[in-house]
Amino acid sequence: MLEAFHHSMPKLEDEKKHLTPCASETLPITVIVAARNEAHNLGRCLDSLRCAGEVYVIDSQSTDATVQIAESYGAHVVQFHYQGGWPKKRQWAMDSLPLSHDWIFLVDADEALTSDLAREIRDAITDPTRDGYYVSLRMFFLGRQLRHSGARFYKLSLFRRGKGRFECRLKDQDQSMADMEVHEHVVLDGDAKGRTARLRHPLLHHNVESLSRYIRKHDEYSNWEAKVWLEGEANAQDLAPSLFGSQAQRRRWLRKNVFALPGSPILFFFYKYIFCLGFLDGIPGLIYCGLQGVQFFHIKAKIYELELQAVRKEAR
C-alpha cells in the first residue's frame, strides 16, 4: 500500500518546467487577478505575467502578504468591499476601473501564464474577426497534473473590452457565497456572439495547496450552487443547460439531469473516477473525484435545508 502511494506522488519537476515566464516584449492586454489571502500563489502568478501591459489585483482585505507581493511586482492593487448582491468582484472591476488596453484577460491567483500561451495570445488579439477566446486549464491537484478526472475545461478568459460580461445567475447573494464569481461564465454581447475561438495552449491551474483551504472555499461555492439550482433555469438564460451546446452548457445539462437521481453524489463520483478515467490520475485523482462527489452532496443537502427554511417561513 505504501509503495503504491509513493509511486503516485507528484512529479514536482514536471510541474516546474511549465512555469517559464512569458517573453519580455509587452503584451497589450489588461489582466485582472482576483485575490483574497493568496500570498502562497500570487508570486508565481504575477511572475508569469511580467510581460502583460497592465495587471490589476483585486483584493478583498487580505490578512496575509497578498498586497505586498502584488505591489512588489508592480501590479495595481484595488480593494473590493463586497456588500452582497451583484455585481461581484471581477464584473465590478470591468465596470469600474480605468482599463488601458482593448483586451481583458481574466486570471485566477492560482493560475499561471506560459510563454507558449503568451505568444499565442499575442497573435490572437490581432485577428479582427475574433472578439473572444476560450482558454483551457492544465490542472495540478496536490502537486500532480490531472490528465483525466474530467478536470480539463475551457473558460472564455480573453475578450475585447466592452464585448464580454459575466452572466448574472443570482442577484440575491451575500458573503457566504464568496465575493467573486463562482461558476458564472463570461458571455459575449450583441454582434460579438459567435466571434470566438479556442486557444491551443493552456493556463496552468494549481487547484489546491492545502485540502483545508480547498474545502473552505468549496463550502462557499456550494452555498451559491444550492441557491442557484433551487431557483431553476430562469437564472441561466445566457447559457441554458444543453447537451449539444457549449462545454459549459453540457456540464450544466449533466448536473441538471443527474441532480434528481437517487444517490446522485455517488453517481457523480463514479462518472469522474471511472467514466472520465480519474483512476489513472493516482491518489490525487481519487481525492479530487471524491471531493467532487462530496461537493455534489453538500449542494443537495443545502438545497434541502433551504426548502425547509422556506416551509417554516410560510408556516409562521
Side-chain angles (χ1 to χ4, degrees):
M1 183 66 180
L2 287 174
E3 182 180 354
F5 177 81
H6 287 298
H7 181 70
S8 69
M9 288 293 284
K11 306 293 191 295
L12 295 179
E13 65 273 12
D14 291 342
E15 177 182 341
K16 291 178 181 178
K17 70 182 181 181
H18 297 296
L19 297 180
T20 305
C22 56
S24 57
E25 185 181 351
T26 300
L27 191 60
I29 59 174
T30 292
V31 181
I32 295 176
V33 181
R36 181 179 63 183
N37 291 331
E38 292 285 357
H40 47 280
N41 284 319
L42 193 58
R44 174 178 54 214
C45 174
L46 296 180
D47 190 55
S48 77
L49 294 170
R50 289 181 183 274
C51 62
E54 180 177 57
V55 177
Y56 277 96
V57 172
I58 315 303
D59 185 48
S60 298
Q61 300 80 60
S62 291
T63 56
D64 63 5
T66 292
V67 170
Q68 292 85 346
I69 292 171
E71 291 175 343
S72 73
Y73 280 93
H76 304 289
V77 180
V78 179
Q79 290 297 327
F80 176 62
H81 297 268
Y82 185 54
Q83 304 298 321
W86 186 263
K88 299 182 90 171
K89 182 179 287 187
R90 290 177 290 191
Q91 186 61 53
W92 172 85
M94 291 189 287
D95 292 342
S96 306
L97 300 180
L99 310 183
S100 299
H101 296 284
D102 291 334
W103 284 85
I104 296 172
F105 189 32
L106 301 177
V107 177
D108 290 345
D110 56 3
E111 295 173 344
L113 179 67
T114 67
S115 55
D116 287 337
L117 180 56
R119 284 190 291 269
E120 191 175 9
I121 289 174
R122 192 182 306 280
D123 293 335
I125 61 178
T126 63
D127 186 345
T129 68
R130 302 295 183 187
D131 289 318
Y133 290 95
Y134 289 89
V135 181
S136 67
L137 299 180
R138 178 178 295 163
M139 185 179 294
F140 292 86
F141 184 83
L142 294 175
R144 173 170 178 158
Q145 181 181 341
L146 297 183
R147 301 180 184 274
H148 308 284
S149 306
R152 180 160 183 153
F153 50 90
Y154 283 82
K155 299 189 297 182
L156 186 61
S157 303
L158 178 66
F159 50 92
R160 291 186 193 273
R161 179 160 50 91
K163 297 291 187 179
R165 60 173 174 82
F166 278 98
E167 56 175 343
C168 176
R169 298 197 66 190
L170 190 64
K171 290 187 177 180
D172 182 18
Q173 302 191 56
D174 56 45
Q175 292 181 331
S176 72
M177 302 175 191
D179 67 350
M180 65 175 283
E181 299 77 7
V182 179
H183 290 148
E184 296 97 333
H185 293 274
V186 173
V187 293
L188 298 184
D189 287 325
D191 59 359
K193 290 182 178 179
R195 291 165 56 91
T196 62
R198 286 185 174 187
L199 299 184
R200 292 187 301 110
H201 296 97
L203 270 172
L204 306 185
H205 182 76
H206 294 78
N207 191 272
V208 60
E209 76 289 340
S210 83
L211 290 177
S212 293
R213 181 175 171 84
Y214 179 92
I215 291 167
R216 289 196 302 271
K217 287 170 61 176
H218 282 75
D219 180 52
E220 294 182 345
Y221 297 170
S222 62
N223 289 337
W224 179 88
E225 291 266 17
K227 193 73 178 292
V228 165
W229 286 101
L230 186 61
E231 294 194 3
E233 294 182 27
N235 55 21
Q237 297 178 355
D238 288 311
L239 288 172
S242 172
L243 179 60
F244 303 104
S246 66
Q247 185 187 46
Q249 290 175 296
R250 289 195 301 273
R251 290 165 69 94
R252 285 183 181 171
W253 182 91
L254 176 65
R255 286 198 168 210
K256 173 190 171 186
N257 286 276
V258 170
F259 236 88
L261 296 176
S264 54
I266 297 174
L267 294 175
F268 193 60
F269 164 74
F270 279 107
Y271 168 76
K272 290 277 194 177
Y273 193 64
I274 303 300
F275 185 80
C276 295
L277 305 179
F279 62 89
L280 295 178
D281 286 324
I283 297 295
L286 174 63
I287 296 172
Y288 174 78
C289 295
L291 289 174
Q292 291 283 294
V294 170
Q295 176 83 353
F296 214 110
F297 177 78
H298 286 168
I299 295 168
K300 294 196 73 171
K302 289 179 180 181
I303 289 174
Y304 180 74
E305 180 185 41
L306 289 171
E307 290 173 335
L308 277 181
Q309 291 172 353
V311 170
R312 289 169 180 166
K313 187 175 182 180
E314 290 178 1
R316 291 174 182 172

